[in-house]
Amino acid sequence: MAWRGLHLTQPSRLSLADDQIVIGQDDGEVRLALEDVAWVVVDNPQTSLTASLMSACMDHGIAVIFSDSTHTPSGVTLPFHRHHRQADIATRQVAASAPLKKRLWQAVVRQKIENQAAALDVVGAGGATTLRAMSARVGSGDPNNVEAQAARYYWGKLWRDFRRDDSGDRRNKLLNYGYAVVRSGVARALVASGLLPAFGLKHASVSNAFNLADDLVEPFRPFVDILAWQTVGAGAPCREDLSIEDRRAMAGVLLADATLTDSTVSLLGATERSAESLSRALESGTPAVLILPQVPR
């Protein structure tokens, strides 16, 4: 079972040999079994990959994430088919009723806000009780947009002088890096469960190939927030670029602990189990079987 990620910040030559990823760098060579790897972040433009390795990554369901010139993840490769009931599951997904999708979105938003409250507890900020009260007010489909109200309150408590739309702020750079990695992990899990990432519950942009991933990723975001806060602290705005250490920290967010029902799993494992439960929820027509990650307390 895949359990590890690979973050490449130095010029590398990636190839395939004996069902292993061969990583060649100036100081030597490292090999990793493909079956152990869940995601690869290519964070250096002087990295080359062979076509045979990319094909093998798709066969093993490995998400390969590429960064742009600013070292921000900008794209991900995913396999076409990863489930033996692909067509059947996709058909049920597309045919899901509006009331069911609204109730599923309600569950997603409620858990996101609960996790935001837990994140405030983890970093020692106040306001968790208010957020939990907001979570209880989320209705089917979130018609009153409690999600946005909670977000405004949450960011004001998590960091002072913080604006989520300030792309130059180091804190936002950390968040965006981590969100991209988690989004890729969620998309990987959706594909593995036979779901189509383009068809969402709430998100429905005609230009977005990851609408469903952008739905399901919401309860995972506070895990990234905690890691970013632990990396940068509670300071004021900072215009610095992300260091290699910053990027390495955020690239490892899928290894963070999460709680599912009464067990502790990695965030990577949580993406897989949440995607599987979403598939079951769409098939059974009830949101009661949807399992979403909780921030450990």
Side-chain angles (χ1 to χ4, degrees):
M1 180 178 178
W3 57 275
R4 69 193 308 174
L6 177 61
H7 184 226
L8 300 166
T9 59
Q10 302 299 322
S12 306
R13 301 170 300 280
L14 305 185
S15 58
L16 175 69
D18 301 323
D19 219 27
Q20 296 177 316
I21 299 178
V22 181
I23 308 154
Q25 296 181 336
D26 290 343
D27 57 353
E29 180 181 287
V30 175
R31 297 190 176 205
L32 298 174
L34 281 166
E35 64 182 3
D36 292 341
V37 179
W39 77 100
V40 177
V41 180
V42 181
D43 197 1
N44 186 287
Q46 294 175 294
T47 296
S48 62
L49 303 87
T50 65
S52 59
L53 174 62
M54 289 300 297
S55 179
C57 286
M58 298 305 96
D59 289 341
H60 284 77
I62 299 172
V64 183
I65 305 163
F66 294 92
S67 296
D68 61 21
S69 59
T70 67
H71 298 286
T72 301
S74 58
V76 60
T77 61
L78 296 169
F80 282 134
H81 305 291
R82 288 287 298 159
H83 197 280
H84 66 284
R85 292 178 54 224
Q86 174 79 57
D88 180 45
I89 293 174
T91 298
R92 293 177 184 273
Q93 175 190 354
V94 173
S97 68
L100 173 60
K101 290 193 287 186
K102 287 182 178 181
R103 289 162 63 206
L104 288 168
W105 180 242
Q106 176 187 28
V108 166
V109 173
R110 280 184 171 175
Q111 191 57 59
K112 175 185 180 180
I113 298 174
E114 287 288 338
N115 284 346
Q116 288 175 326
L120 293 182
D121 284 338
V122 169
V123 304
T129 300
T130 299
L131 280 178
R132 292 189 175 101
M134 288 184 177
S135 174
R137 298 204 309 268
V138 177
S140 177
D142 191 18
N144 297 320
N145 203 7
V146 177
E147 179 190 18
Q149 299 171 38
R152 286 193 294 271
Y153 181 85
Y154 169 69
W155 291 120
K157 291 293 183 179
L158 189 65
W159 277 307
R160 62 185 177 88
D161 301 323
F162 178 74
R163 296 197 336 268
R164 185 67 187 96
D165 60 354
D166 182 0
S167 61
D169 190 328
R170 178 177 172 225
R171 296 171 293 185
N172 274 316
K173 294 176 183 178
L174 288 164
L175 293 173
N176 292 339
Y177 201 107
Y179 290 158
V181 172
V182 173
R183 184 183 189 232
S184 298
V186 170
R188 167 186 174 271
L190 291 172
V191 171
S193 297
L195 295 164
L196 301 176
F199 296 94
L201 304 172
K202 177 69 172 182
H203 291 85
S205 171
V206 296
S207 61
N208 185 5
F210 294 94
N211 283 309
L212 187 60
D214 288 339
D215 289 328
L216 193 59
V217 78
E218 294 297 348
F220 291 84
R221 290 181 182 274
F223 293 85
V224 176
D225 305 341
I226 292 170
L227 184 56
W229 194 97
Q230 291 172 338
T231 300
V232 76
C238 174
R239 319 313 292 184
E240 294 178 1
D241 290 332
L242 297 185
S243 66
I244 289 179
E245 289 74 21
D246 289 337
R247 284 148 35 211
R248 184 174 296 130
M250 302 314 295
V253 65
L254 289 171
L255 300 177
D257 286 341
T259 300
L260 285 179
T261 59
D262 294 326
S263 61
T264 300
V265 300
S266 69
L267 204 60
L268 174 68
T271 65
E272 295 167 350
R273 290 181 58 182
S274 293
E276 291 167 359
S277 73
L278 177 57
S279 179
R280 293 196 302 273
L282 290 168
E283 185 171 5
S284 63
T286 173
V289 299
L290 181 63
I291 302 174
L292 298 170
Q294 300 173 344
V295 171
R297 298 185 183 180

